[in-house]
């Protein structure tokens, strides 16, 4: 029996959600609907609209964290309304950001006169670091009589870079000098990089965790080469470390690895808090070894507790919830907690690598010994009638999102898969994944799929 309710307060509790008039209509897509919708109904309609999007914890493509503790979520939800850029209005939040910068600088062997800031993510952090390198180079070059108008300054990086570096070079008119990855060197080729250095080089970027393969550039070797170079010239060249993935992982798992401010020529480092800092997207961090490496014109003063606080962000208004979430993790886990979480994540990656090797279907490119990332290609087999793209599709039927993609330029005929192990991907889930992987391979082999070489297939699920 249809029951019309004149009292809308009563309707809010008695009318079934799926019996409302709103559930009989389409959600507004590209313009506002005319009428308001009850909160509970709007919530359910939008939640239903997201039903077929997949489960984030089964997304093995992304480095971004997909789980935080309920207490962290509660704290972050209670601080969503705080604007991180308003230092004077929210001085305690500004102090928490300052504490996080100090904690991170300490992990990276920062000197006394370091300076740093939070960012929306590593992309903004890279932009800031790149700007600092360009401005600093321009001052040095002008003093040395370099003809600034003659040609563009350049930045040297391996072709395994994240796209934010390409954006930086376009936005700030920099020549991007890519050092191609090769089958024999899936990280920065130091000798080739040094051959590209000249008086127009603003800096060299070393990557602590290449997005494609998870491998680390040999930053200690790069530093040694630049030390030799800088002794012979007034045109000094320094290193920025893009440690988006490894910056909050390596200090706990490989504390003896030299890649950070211990090295003479490393002047700035960025990291993603929302990767192995274990925070939901998006928060990043950038720290300069010394204030002298951050040109004054990039620092703006804001009022803070009756004094002034330096700020250098590109982005302005945004919620402080993520940086407060970062501080929660630092307080909650401490050094030993982070180390324990990352070591367990490392163990899961090694387990996956071993099981993939046992299948005799794959050739491992990275076995998870550094970043907890496993990537692999198919073992050559002329009889095989399926591809890694087919395997991705089959795994997706079970909910697993596993990216298949070609390597960057010069190796783009080589197609690989990548599994990123995050803190919420435990050994039980890894066991379930391997079982589903085995079942998927069996199904593909039994289905006798024919793959035509001329058919081009692309998977756009590969994200950073």
């Amino acid at each position: 029996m249809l029951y019309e309710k004149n009292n809308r307060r009563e309707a809010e509790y008695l009318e079934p959600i799926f019996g409302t008039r709103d559930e009989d209509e389409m959600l507004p897509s590209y313009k506002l609907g005319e009428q308001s919708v009850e909160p509970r109904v709007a919530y359910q309609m939008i939640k239903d609209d997201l039903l077929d999007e997949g489960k984030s914890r089964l997304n093995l493509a992304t480095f971004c964290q997909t789980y935080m503790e309920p207490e962290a979520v509660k704290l972050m939800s209670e601080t969503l309304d705080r604007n991180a850029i308003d230092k004077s209005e929210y001085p305690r939040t500004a102090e928490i950001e300052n504490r996080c910068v100090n904690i991170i600088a300490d992990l990276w062997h920062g000197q006394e006169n370091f300076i740093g800031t939070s960012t929306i993510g590593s992309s903004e952090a890279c932009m800031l670091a790149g700007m600092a390198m360009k401005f600093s180079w321009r001052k040095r070059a002008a003093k040395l009589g370099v003809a600034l108008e003659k040609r563009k300054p350049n930045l040297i990086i391996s072709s395994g870079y994240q796209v934010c570096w390409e954006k930086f070079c376009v936005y700030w008119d920099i020549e991007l000098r890519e050092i191609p990855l090769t089958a024999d060197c899936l990280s920065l080729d130091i000798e080739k990089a040094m051959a590209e250095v000249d008086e127009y080089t603003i800096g060299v970027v070393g990557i602590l965790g290449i997005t494609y393969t998870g491998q680390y550039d040999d930053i200690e070797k790069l530093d040694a080469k630049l030390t030799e170079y800088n002794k012979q010239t007034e045109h000094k060249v320094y290193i920025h470390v893009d440690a988006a993935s490894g910056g909050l992982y390596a200090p706990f798992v490989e504390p003896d690895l030299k890649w950070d401010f211990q090295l003479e020529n490393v002047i700035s480092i960025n990291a993603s808090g929302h990767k192995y800092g274990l925070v939901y997207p998006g928060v990043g961090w950038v720290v300069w070894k010394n204030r002298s490496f951050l040109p004054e014109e990039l620092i703006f003063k804001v009022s803070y507790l009756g004094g002034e606080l330096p700020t250098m962000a590109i982005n302005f208004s945004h919620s402080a919830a993520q940086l407060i979430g970062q501080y929660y993790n630092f307080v909650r886990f401490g050094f030993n907690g982070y180390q324990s979480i990352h070591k367990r994540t490392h163990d899961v990656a090694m387990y996956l690598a071993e099981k993939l090797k046992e299948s005799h279907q794959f050739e491992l490119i990275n076995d998870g010994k550094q970043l907890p990332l496993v990537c692999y290609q198919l073992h050559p087999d002329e009889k095989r009638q399926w591809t890694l793209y087919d395997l991705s599709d089959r795994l997706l039927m079970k909910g697993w999102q596993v990216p298949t993609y070609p390597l960057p330029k010069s190796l783009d005929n080589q197609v690989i898969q990548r599994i990123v192990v995050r803190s919420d991907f435990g050994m039980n889930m890894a066991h379930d994944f391997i079982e589903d992987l085995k079942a998927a391979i069996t199904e593909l082999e039994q289905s006798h799929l024919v793959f035509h070489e001329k058919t081009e297939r692309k998977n756009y699920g590969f994200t950073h």
Side-chain angles (χ1 to χ4, degrees):
M1 179 179 70
L2 293 176
Y3 177 42
E4 290 291 334
K5 305 175 189 63
N6 294 321
N7 186 332
R8 297 314 301 167
R9 291 176 63 188
E10 179 183 307
E12 183 179 345
Y13 299 102
L14 297 182
E15 188 174 32
I17 288 179
F18 294 111
T20 63
R21 181 180 60 230
D22 298 304
E23 276 288 351
D24 206 22
E25 298 175 358
M26 295 289 290
L27 278 169
S29 297
Y30 306 110
K31 64 178 182 179
L32 285 174
E34 291 185 8
Q35 304 299 325
S36 300
V37 177
E38 289 180 39
R40 67 193 182 108
V41 177
Y43 169 84
Q44 189 63 52
M45 292 173 73
I46 296 172
K47 186 174 181 178
D48 291 348
D49 202 35
L50 297 170
L51 272 176
D52 65 348
E53 196 169 48
K55 297 177 180 178
S56 62
R57 289 189 62 192
L58 298 183
N59 180 1
L60 305 186
T62 184
F63 284 93
C64 295
Q65 286 304 308
T66 50
Y67 173 81
M68 290 187 76
E69 293 180 331
E71 292 81 3
V73 174
K74 184 174 185 291
L75 184 61
M76 290 170 71
S77 67
E78 291 170 351
T79 53
L80 282 168
D81 59 344
R82 299 193 184 195
N83 190 352
I85 205 70
D86 289 338
K87 311 295 185 185
S88 57
E89 290 89 338
Y90 303 108
R92 302 311 301 173
T93 299
E95 171 58 19
I96 283 176
E97 178 184 15
N98 181 47
R99 292 176 190 175
C100 288
V101 169
N102 275 265
I103 289 168
I104 292 168
D106 181 65
L107 283 174
W108 296 343
H109 300 91
Q111 299 178 353
E112 286 186 12
N113 203 27
F114 69 84
I115 187 171
T117 184
S118 69
T119 59
I120 297 297
S122 263
S123 292
E124 183 189 2
C126 290
M127 295 285 175
L128 290 170
M131 287 169 61
M133 284 193 290
K134 180 181 180 180
F135 278 53
S136 295
W137 166 82
R138 190 166 60 191
K139 285 183 177 180
R140 294 195 305 270
K143 287 182 180 179
L144 294 170
V146 176
L148 301 182
E149 71 286 351
K150 186 176 179 180
R151 55 190 172 95
K152 290 182 180 181
N154 64 75
L155 179 73
I156 298 170
I157 193 171
S158 85
S159 61
Y161 62 82
Q162 210 268 359
V163 71
C164 67
W165 287 108
E166 186 174 357
K167 289 182 179 180
F168 164 73
C169 289
V170 171
Y171 296 164
W172 277 275
D173 201 26
I174 306 289
E175 177 193 350
L176 183 65
R177 291 189 175 177
E178 299 179 43
I179 308 302
L181 300 182
T182 65
D184 296 327
C185 185
L186 287 171
S187 58
L188 181 67
D189 188 312
I190 307 299
E191 299 298 335
K192 290 180 180 177
M194 291 304 302
E196 293 293 326
V197 173
D198 60 27
E199 65 268 27
Y200 286 85
T201 300
I202 68 171
V204 183
V205 176
I207 305 176
L208 197 73
I210 290 175
T211 300
Y212 291 89
T213 64
Q215 294 184 354
Y216 294 167
D217 287 342
D218 190 342
I219 298 166
E220 186 174 12
K221 181 179 178 181
L222 175 62
D223 176 74
K225 291 290 183 180
L226 279 174
T227 296
E228 292 176 13
Y229 177 87
N230 287 339
K231 285 178 180 177
Q232 301 169 15
T233 180
E234 293 180 303
H235 299 278
K236 309 301 182 186
V237 177
Y238 301 105
I239 301 168
H240 170 76
V241 180
D242 182 352
S245 301
L248 291 173
Y249 183 84
F252 302 101
V253 180
E254 295 186 82
D256 296 329
L257 181 68
K258 289 187 177 180
W259 64 273
D260 56 15
F261 294 134
Q262 296 176 87
L263 301 177
E264 180 181 350
N265 299 291
V266 172
I267 60 168
S268 54
I269 303 171
N270 71 274
S272 291
H274 57 232
K275 292 182 180 177
Y276 292 102
L278 308 182
V279 184
Y280 285 140
V283 60
W285 303 94
V286 58
V287 179
W288 287 268
K289 174 186 282 186
N290 191 291
R291 286 173 178 263
S292 63
F293 293 114
L294 179 60
E296 280 295 324
E297 56 265 43
L298 296 180
I299 303 174
F300 299 87
K301 306 292 185 181
V302 296
S303 176
Y304 172 67
L305 292 180
E308 287 186 330
L309 186 74
T311 180
M312 63 289 291
I314 295 175
N315 290 293
F316 285 86
S317 294
H318 62 93
S319 174
Q322 269 74 14
L323 69 89
I324 290 172
Q326 182 75 84
Y327 187 59
Y328 169 89
N329 281 351
F330 286 160
V331 171
R332 165 74 175 91
F333 300 137
F335 187 93
N336 289 341
Y338 266 99
Q339 189 174 61
S340 176
I341 291 168
H342 291 338
K343 184 183 182 306
R344 198 270 311 150
T345 307
H346 172 83
D347 292 343
V348 171
M350 297 298 289
Y351 165 81
L352 290 173
E354 186 61 33
K355 292 300 178 183
L356 288 165
K357 196 185 301 181
E358 287 177 5
S359 73
H360 303 296
Q361 294 279 0
F362 308 105
E363 291 181 357
L364 290 177
I365 295 171
N366 190 347
D367 60 4
K369 285 181 180 176
Q370 289 186 312
L371 275 186
L373 179 156
V374 182
C375 63
Y376 48 91
Q377 61 187 358
L378 282 173
H379 190 282
D381 186 349
E382 293 181 358
K383 296 181 180 179
R384 185 186 294 111
Q385 293 182 314
W386 51 272
T387 70
L388 287 177
Y389 292 108
D390 297 317
L391 183 56
S392 284
D393 290 343
R394 187 65 64 163
L395 287 169
L396 190 57
M397 295 179 185
K398 295 285 189 179
W400 302 106
Q401 299 176 55
V402 181
T404 297
Y405 55 92
L407 287 172
K409 297 174 186 175
S410 77
L411 290 175
D412 53 6
N413 62 337
Q414 191 173 345
V415 176
I416 68 173
Q417 276 188 353
R418 186 191 75 181
I419 298 171
V420 178
V421 182
R422 300 184 304 277
S423 63
D424 57 345
F425 189 65
M427 198 64 81
N428 285 329
M429 285 181 68
H431 178 269
D432 291 345
F433 171 76
I434 291 297
E435 291 300 305
D436 287 341
L437 178 74
K438 290 177 181 177
I441 292 172
T442 300
E443 291 164 4
L444 286 169
E445 291 182 338
Q446 290 176 348
S447 66
H448 302 294
L449 289 175
V450 177
F451 177 71
H452 300 286
E453 291 184 2
K454 294 181 180 179
T455 303
E456 183 181 0
R457 303 191 59 186
K458 294 182 179 179
N459 185 315
Y460 293 100
F462 172 47
T463 54
H464 309 319

